[in-house]
Amino acid sequence: MENELTRVVTPEAMKMNAGQRIISLLTAPGELFANVKVYPVILVPFLIILVIGLVALVPMNRVSEMQMQELSRISIENYGVDILADMNVDEFGDSAMDSFLKIFTAVVLVVNVAIGPLINSLIYAFGIWVLSKILRGKANFVQLFSMYMHIYVIGALGTLVISGIMMITGNYVDMTSLAALVMPQGDMSMPLFNALSAISIFSLWTTFLTFIGIKVINEFSAVKAGIITALVLLFTIGVTVGSLALTWLPYELGIA
Amino acid sequence: MNKKIAIFIAIVAVAIVFIGINILNSRRAEQASGIPRNATPVNWAYPEAQTVISTVSARGSVELRDKVVVFPETQAQILTVHVKVGDEVEAGDVLITYDSAILEVYENQLAEAQLALRTAQLGLEAARIAPTNMEILSAENQIEQARSNISSIEAALAQNELQITQLTENIITARNSFADTQTLFESGVVARVELDNAAEAVRRLEDQLAILLAQRDTTELGLQPAREAERLAVAGLDELLQRNSNPQAVNQLRVQQIAIERAQLSIEQIEKSIEDFVSEEIAGVSGTVINLFVTEGEISVMGRPMLEIADISSENIVIVVHVPEYDAGNISVGQEVEISGRAIGNDVYDGVIERIHPIATQRMSGTNVETVITVEITVDGETRLRAGNTVDADIVTKISEDTLVVPLMSTLSESGGVNYVYLVTDDSTLERRDITLGEFSNMFIEVFGLEETSRVVSNPAMSLHDGMLVRPIQPLNAEASE
């Protein structure tokens, strides 16, 4: 398998269509990234992500409400105040304002679905590119950007699957994560719960793909690719836990 | 390729098993707690027995009950102002000294007014002079002479007419005689000389008639001017006789009379100013100068206040507040009031409503106009309140002792004025309970329709509904209440 994943694709290799890319991503990522090295396509994975993201909006909308409710519960239980009280527009009874906020939220979500993957991939690609250059990798920025756009397809797929399970089960805990296994009654205010939530089937999958992609495109050894992948994983977990900490820290410190 | 797909399917299967285990794990945990994880969390609290003091809050100011406004007693230039705001004065103290140079001005004005009066009186006398007998006689003579001329002309015309008639008859006779003579001459009875004489006689008479007719025309021409002269003479006499009764003359008389009255009024005013002139303004009461509206050098104006003097002790102050009209029905004379304000620090004074003004007024409140009732409040004893201080007044309108209250935020209402709360039952479901609201005080409201053991949802969201399963969160004071 090692040989297959690291096989160098000749320039004569065929450019893949969308279907081939998805199948390769799921079954033979090494071949896909070898093709990406020759043909660093960005638009095709972007369109795939866009379609999956738009479909995922339906369950995400419900999951978002559940998470808001959970945030409210946790804040009331732990701090005696409703952290979302200021965001409750129902009390105004203003249907026009309510409609406006719903439309505004929908527009933000759609824009987020379209722009989010691009921004996210740009940031990760840039970070990986910098690390690759430090370790004298051969990849250029466009190749890494294309690589991460392809990896993001799995992330989008994960969002769709996870939010779908959440919507069906009525439980906001990511059932694909370690958190569901280890802390089924944990909540979003617990750093460990959030750290475990960040370790899910799809995050592991994307980490694995990141490792393969870096290795193939940079023509790195497993050690170098592993170092960069580990740093990327730490960065991802740090961002996840940090963003949640920003929500709860003011209450923990009693400054909110 | 098949191997890759098989590996992929195997991985997916493992993932599905993992997810399934997690879901089962989570459901077991939920069943253990008894409440679904997604149940809406609610805070609840027991109603509390409290004494509810209902108040009406209003803002106002401290004002002086009585003050004396000093108006000028004379109109003159202010030479010296002997006091300033805050000065204590005693009754009889000199407040202001005027410049007496104004008296000379008054005397000059008086002399001018007297001259104007004399001038007006002379003008009136001139306007009142009647026509003399000589003027009337002269006018009558002119009429008589005119009429005499007319009579003479008419007599001459009558004489002339008579002569014309007689001469006309003579001409007819002469013409008949000429006709007879001509017949006789043609018969040879008379000589030609006689015929010529008869013709000559007719011609001579006709010449005389022509002269008479010309004389009559000339005389008739003189008659019209004579009659016009008579009319003018009669009109002249009439005008003379009506000299004091024509409109122009009457107007002239009135103008002169008004000028006299004006001059007399002016004299009276100046004499009064001279008489009223005082050189100093004297304090009529003892007190403190609280306002000063004049400065040295300016002219005092009658009717415009110069300064205010008042007793600024606590006995003379009254608190005036403005109560919104929708609270007016709850206030009455004698109600207790708590007075606070920045000027008195943390002190709170007890006052009593002394008077409620009978008429509402409108005041600017920010950019709005609000209708208010003015209320006067007295505070007994010595206080730190000073006139002009802004104060807040809490008027106690009702006291309900040992009554059940809930936080205001826990009550809900629907159209039609129905008020209700949600209660948490023992099986963690919500029960809607209609209630009657009472008095409101300090974020709590008096309620009827609840028991002391009712568990009232204190943060009811719009999404709550009757029978809904919730996650009740134990309030901090629940154990103490139980």
Side-chain angles (χ1 to χ4, degrees), chain A residues 83-219:
Chain A
I83 198 170
L84 304 174
D86 293 340
M87 296 166 68
N88 185 7
V89 296
D90 287 344
E91 66 190 68
F92 298 111
D94 189 338
S95 58
M97 176 62 86
D98 198 22
S99 303
F100 171 77
L101 285 175
K102 279 180 180 169
I103 293 168
F104 180 75
T105 307
V107 170
V108 168
L109 273 174
V110 171
V111 170
N112 192 40
V113 164
I115 306 296
L118 283 174
I119 303 291
N120 194 293
S121 299
L122 275 172
I123 293 168
Y124 274 92
F126 180 75
I128 294 168
W129 176 70
V130 170
L131 293 170
S132 298
K133 285 296 160 195
I134 292 168
L135 297 177
R136 300 181 183 282
K138 293 181 178 177
N140 61 33
F141 178 76
V142 177
Q143 289 169 328
L144 293 173
F145 184 42
S146 174
M147 176 198 84
Y148 210 85
M149 286 295 286
H150 283 85
I151 293 170
Y152 204 96
V153 171
I154 298 302
L157 200 60
T159 304
L160 176 63
V161 171
I162 293 166
S163 56
I165 294 171
M166 286 179 177
M167 190 176 75
I168 292 165
T169 60
N171 193 328
Y172 72 91
V173 178
D174 178 2
M175 293 299 170
T176 71
S177 73
L178 273 182
L181 188 68
V182 179
M183 300 176 70
Q185 286 297 91
D187 65 49
M188 287 186 283
S189 66
M190 301 172 177
L192 180 59
F193 176 84
N194 289 311
L196 291 174
S197 291
I199 303 171
S200 68
I201 291 172
F202 289 96
S203 68
L204 289 174
W205 193 350
T206 53
T207 304
F208 174 69
L209 292 177
T210 305
F211 170 76
I212 300 291
I214 292 168
K215 190 167 183 294
V216 169
I217 296 173
N218 272 311
E219 296 178 20

Side-chain angles (χ1 to χ4, degrees), chain B residues 318-321 352-357 374-378:
Chain B
V318 64
I319 292 164
V320 178
V321 298
V352 175
I353 292 182
E354 182 188 66
R355 180 171 174 249
I356 299 171
H357 287 209
T374 302
V375 174
E376 293 181 12
I377 299 162
T378 53

Side-chain angles (χ1 to χ4, degrees), chain B residues 157-172:
Chain B
L157 280 172
Q159 181 65 30
N160 196 264
E161 205 57 49
L162 189 64
Q163 287 174 345
I164 288 168
T165 304
Q166 192 171 355
L167 194 55
T168 303
E169 288 174 358
N170 291 341
I171 287 169
I172 292 168

Side-chain angles (χ1 to χ4, degrees), chain B residues 97-256:
Chain B
T97 303
Y98 294 111
D99 187 353
S100 58
I102 191 72
L103 279 175
E104 290 178 21
V105 176
Y106 286 152
E107 282 164 7
N108 288 337
Q109 287 175 348
L110 182 61
E112 283 178 16
Q114 286 168 338
L115 279 174
L117 176 63
R118 183 64 192 141
T119 304
Q121 286 170 337
L122 288 173
L124 182 63
E125 285 172 16
R128 277 180 176 164
I129 290 174
T132 61
N133 290 336
M134 187 63 76
E135 286 174 323
I136 293 170
L137 191 60
S138 172
E140 287 173 346
N141 283 341
Q142 284 179 4
I143 294 169
E144 193 62 33
Q145 192 173 352
R147 286 177 178 165
S148 175
N149 283 342
I150 291 168
S151 298
S152 300
I153 291 167
E154 286 174 346
L157 280 172
Q159 181 65 30
N160 196 264
E161 205 57 49
L162 189 64
Q163 287 174 345
I164 288 168
T165 304
Q166 192 171 355
L167 194 55
T168 303
E169 288 174 358
N170 291 341
I171 287 169
I172 292 168
T173 304
R175 282 177 179 166
N176 290 337
S177 176
F178 172 73
D180 291 343
T181 304
Q182 191 172 23
T183 305
L184 289 175
F185 171 70
E186 286 172 354
S187 305
V189 176
V190 294
R192 184 162 190 94
V193 175
E194 288 183 12
L195 181 60
D196 291 340
N197 287 338
E200 181 60 27
V202 170
R203 196 165 43 248
R204 196 167 50 244
L205 287 172
E206 285 176 345
D207 288 342
Q208 287 176 356
L209 180 61
I211 290 167
L212 284 174
L213 288 171
Q215 283 178 346
R216 187 184 67 180
D217 290 343
T218 303
T219 305
E220 280 179 347
L221 284 174
L223 185 61
Q224 188 61 28
R227 285 179 175 157
E228 182 62 21
E230 183 204 15
R231 193 187 64 75
L232 289 173
V234 170
L237 178 61
D238 288 345
E239 188 179 356
L240 192 64
L241 293 174
Q242 294 175 359
R243 181 188 282 174
N244 284 338
S245 59
N246 69 44
Q248 199 175 355
V250 170
N251 280 343
Q252 185 62 26
L253 281 174
R254 291 179 66 182
V255 167
Q256 293 304 326

Side-chain angles (χ1 to χ4, degrees), chain A residues 4 31 171-172 175 184 186, chain B residues 4 22 25-26 37 41 43 471:
Chain A
E4 189 176 279
E31 287 178 15
N171 193 328
Y172 72 91
M175 293 299 170
Chain B
K4 291 175 188 170
N22 281 347
N25 195 25
S26 176
R37 189 182 190 99
N43 269 330
R471 181 189 291 271

